[in-house]
Amino acid sequence: MIRTALALVLAVLPAACQREERQARPSPVGGESREEVALVSLSPGSAGPVVATSGKAAQFEGNAYHLSQGKKLFVWFNCNGCHGQGGGGMGPALIDDRWIYGAAIENIVQTIREGRPNGMPSFRGRIPDDQIWELAAYVRAMSGNVPSSAAPARSDTLHPRPAENRTDPSPPVAGGLVPPGGERAQ
Amino acid sequence: MPAKNFASTRYSELSEITPETAKDLRVSFTFSVGVNRGQESSPLVVDGTMYVLSPYPNILYALDLTKPGAALKWQYNPKPEAAAQGVACCDVVNRGPAYADGHLFFNTLDGNVVSVEAATGREAWKTKIGNINIGETMTMAPLVARGKVFVGNAGGEFGVRGWIQALDQQTGKVAWKAFNTGPDADVLIGPGFRPFYDSDKGPDLGTKTWPPGAWEQGGGTVWGWLSFDPELNLLYHGTGNPGPWNADQRPGDNKWTSGLFARDPDTGAARWFYQWSPHDLYDWDGINEQILLDMTWNGAPRKVLVRPERNGHVYILDRTTGEVLAAKPFHPITTTTGVDLKTGRLQYIPEKKPEMGKVMRDICPNASGAKDWSPSAYSPRTGLLYLPHANLCMDEEHLQANYIAGTPYLGSETRMKAGPGGHRGVYTAWDVAGERAAWSIKEEFPVWSGTLVTAGDVAFYGTMDGWFKAVNARTGAVVWQFKTGSGIIGQPTTYRAPDGRQHVAILSGVGGWPGVIVSADLDPRDGTGALGFLNAMRDLKEVTTKGGMLYDFALP
């Protein structure tokens, strides 16, 4: 009996010891990954838009360390000044389901790097590339679009809403420049 | 000009619309400004033409009132930079154009001042004086006097350094520029500067009342109302909040923020200064309107300046010296015990000071104040000041603020809420001489529109759920109301039209700081959004939608 239990524990142990992989050394400050992403789903032909991404997303999405760093940087780079804790203000809301410039992490990376025409500043050369990825991953966490096991669990703020790991997922809806707003967010 | 006159009384001599006749008011025409953002502007009527200015992208329209339906005469689009929307703190509003000598003058969100020929809509000049890359925008209505156009910047939430500038009315060339923080030479403080109180005397207080260098990001912007006294030749302008909101990062009185300057309009030289909120703790910009009145005070005739202030008091100042004659509260206050009339100083309650890492609850008034920019009106017939205002409190926690040029410089999180009573807005008739409220009307939402009062003893204002109301100026009884398409945060205008009738016009289109939840589709689940205003306005989406429509009314 004891032997069986031991065998079971030994069998489970390797899985329990699985830890998140991440590169200890970030990519060079000046470098940036190349993301060929589309802003829309519309493209001539039935295949959809042609995209080619670096694959860097896999390192950042669902990684608790990077999400936690992103949450810290969100305040340090004053993102919260415009976007609040996700409800928005000078900038659009980030906890809702509408994505004006695309919901993929690569889209968000591009939004932070390049800026967007109606007020989003360009942070290229102001924020190291890996930190842009951390911010983008965290922005997806704000609307519940990362694994809850990796999302930050605590907010050192006025607690306007539950922490990210308790945020219900809101599947992205492509927004466009004039979102069909007006109705109260559900 | 939006304020009707240099004294900013917003009082009209027209008397055709009265409490008895107002019930017959009918729509005479409407006009869509084509922009569904907050409409804080005031329509202007000059010689049979109405001029209407939209929020960003700041399109100016001229409507021919002699033609049926007020035909569009021309439109002028200054094509401001779209990126400017990202550094506008509280919706992309504009508070109106000004008219003088055949030209209209207005500011664009991206920091241009424009002069347009009234007859043709042709641009006479355009001068860029604001820089969006450091967070400067321009939203205020210019004041034109003595051949100069007076304008100021906004951006107190971005760590900008506040200024006012005078541009030559003919050429658009900058005649003078005065900063509201920094060395005396920059503030245009010289030998002619004679403030009334000792705390405003001494060299370079604009640097000495700050930690080293902090004045460079110290705020003190000029995004509100200007008044002018031609007899004294003094220009009056308030100064905005100090930056950042986290007051522990800027120990000192933070001159010359949250105060009032009297300046020589010809040179910009400061004549006196008074600080409403020294070392402001709560984002209490000092930029509201100043109504210039001549009244008897304690038996003697005085030239006074009346200021309903964000910190919750109606002030009466001697406008020749800057002496505070009176300051009485018109809003529930938990943060101060009033103004010491000997020193002129606002008395804070130390226990209510927000701290880092601690939530301070029930701060009244809130950050947008007992009364924000929405201008009041004064009737010499009733002696009452008609005050559109709020009834709001807030919880606040301070955080470390990082200065990154062109991004918000706050160090604060807030969530706002209704004040005692649960209503969020009030329209108060304030007896100026008696220093008390004569009557008041409670409103569900903050009263964010301007107001006007007429010789017919009717006052007009609008609500954020879309009602445009006429009230009996003596009793406060609502004598007429009309539901417009969207919430109202604009400034009403009344005028005699070419048809000989008295008309009244208002822009409908919700927005501004409290209404940005609707105009920018914000998510109310985060109460700290819109700098904390989302918490107080969660239900606005249930009662109104975006809009941008001018409504004009007249008696049949």
Side-chain angles (χ1 to χ4, degrees), chain A residues 115-128:
Chain A
R116 296 296 184 192
N118 287 304
M120 178 71 194
S122 163
F123 286 91
R124 172 175 283 120
R126 309 280 190 259
I127 303 181

Side-chain angles (χ1 to χ4, degrees), chain A residues 76 85 87-88 118 158 181 184, chain B residues 85 402 413 415 526 530 542:
Chain A
W76 283 13
Q85 298 299 314
N118 287 304
L158 277 176
R184 189 169 183 178
Chain B
Q85 296 172 91
N402 294 329
E413 270 188 359
R415 56 173 176 236
D526 168 20
E542 290 164 10

Side-chain angles (χ1 to χ4, degrees), chain B residues 113 125 127 129 138 140 142-152 163-179 188 226 235 237 263-269:
Chain B
V113 189
W125 51 259
T127 306
I129 57 172
M138 291 177 76
M140 54 92 78
L143 183 103
V144 187
R146 294 183 69 85
K148 293 191 171 61
V149 184
F150 302 102
V151 294
W163 46 251
I164 179 169
Q165 300 196 36
L167 278 62
D168 183 279
Q169 186 185 330
Q170 305 297 332
T171 64
K173 273 207 183 124
V174 176
W176 55 259
K177 176 178 187 178
F179 285 101
L188 304 187
L226 314 179
L235 176 75
H237 73 87
R263 293 184 184 274
D264 180 329
D266 303 321
T267 64

Side-chain angles (χ1 to χ4, degrees), chain A:
Chain A
M1 183 66 195
I2 289 171
R3 289 168 67 100
T4 325
L6 200 65
L8 204 70
V9 166
L10 285 173
V12 169
L13 215 56
C17 285
Q18 167 113 34
R19 62 194 297 259
E20 285 180 346
E21 296 287 330
R22 70 180 163 86
Q23 287 185 331
R25 193 182 173 82
S27 55
V29 168
E32 70 177 45
S33 65
R34 189 165 163 181
E35 310 300 334
E36 294 167 13
V37 285
L39 276 180
V40 294
S41 59
L42 187 64
S43 181
S46 55
V50 178
V51 296
T53 56
S54 66
K56 206 168 173 179
Q59 283 178 46
F60 289 83
E61 282 189 313
N63 180 295
Y65 172 81
H66 288 310
L67 288 168
S68 160
Q69 290 292 299
K71 185 178 173 84
K72 179 184 79 179
L73 296 172
F74 189 77
V75 176
W76 283 13
F77 282 112
N78 294 340
C79 311
N80 62 333
C82 291
H83 299 283
Q85 298 299 314
M90 305 170 216
L94 301 175
I95 56 178
D96 65 2
D97 56 3
R98 290 213 173 72
W99 293 86
I100 303 171
Y101 302 112
I105 188 169
E106 290 86 0
N107 288 128
I108 300 169
V109 165
Q110 295 292 62
T111 294
I112 299 170
R113 262 191 207 151
E114 313 277 352
R116 296 296 184 192
N118 287 304
M120 178 71 194
S122 163
F123 286 91
R124 172 175 283 120
R126 309 280 190 259
I127 303 181
D129 199 54
D130 275 23
Q131 295 191 352
I132 291 181
W133 280 90
E134 288 174 337
L135 280 164
Y138 172 66
V139 166
R140 281 176 56 77
M142 296 176 89
S143 53
N145 284 303
V146 302
S148 63
S149 56
R154 182 181 155 152
S155 300
D156 286 326
T157 64
L158 277 176
H159 292 279
R161 62 185 180 87
E164 290 79 6
N165 70 335
R166 288 185 290 127
T167 299
D168 292 333
S170 48
V173 174
L177 279 178
V178 186
E183 79 273 32
R184 189 169 183 178
Q186 297 305 309

Side-chain angles (χ1 to χ4, degrees), chain B residues 338-393:
Chain B
V339 178
D340 179 347
L341 292 181
K342 281 200 196 73
T343 60
R345 206 172 169 86
L346 183 69
Q347 304 295 307
Y348 291 105
I349 298 172
E351 293 76 33
K352 276 289 173 188
K353 180 182 164 302
E355 307 271 351
M356 302 253 279
K358 179 176 147 190
V359 179
M360 179 58 68
R361 293 177 199 279
D362 300 320
I363 293 167
C364 313
N366 69 331
S368 62
K371 180 187 165 301
D372 205 308
W373 70 278
S374 314
S376 53
Y378 175 81
S379 167
R381 288 168 54 87
T382 61
L384 300 177
L385 182 69
Y386 299 88
L387 286 177
H389 66 103
N391 177 44
L392 293 168
C393 300

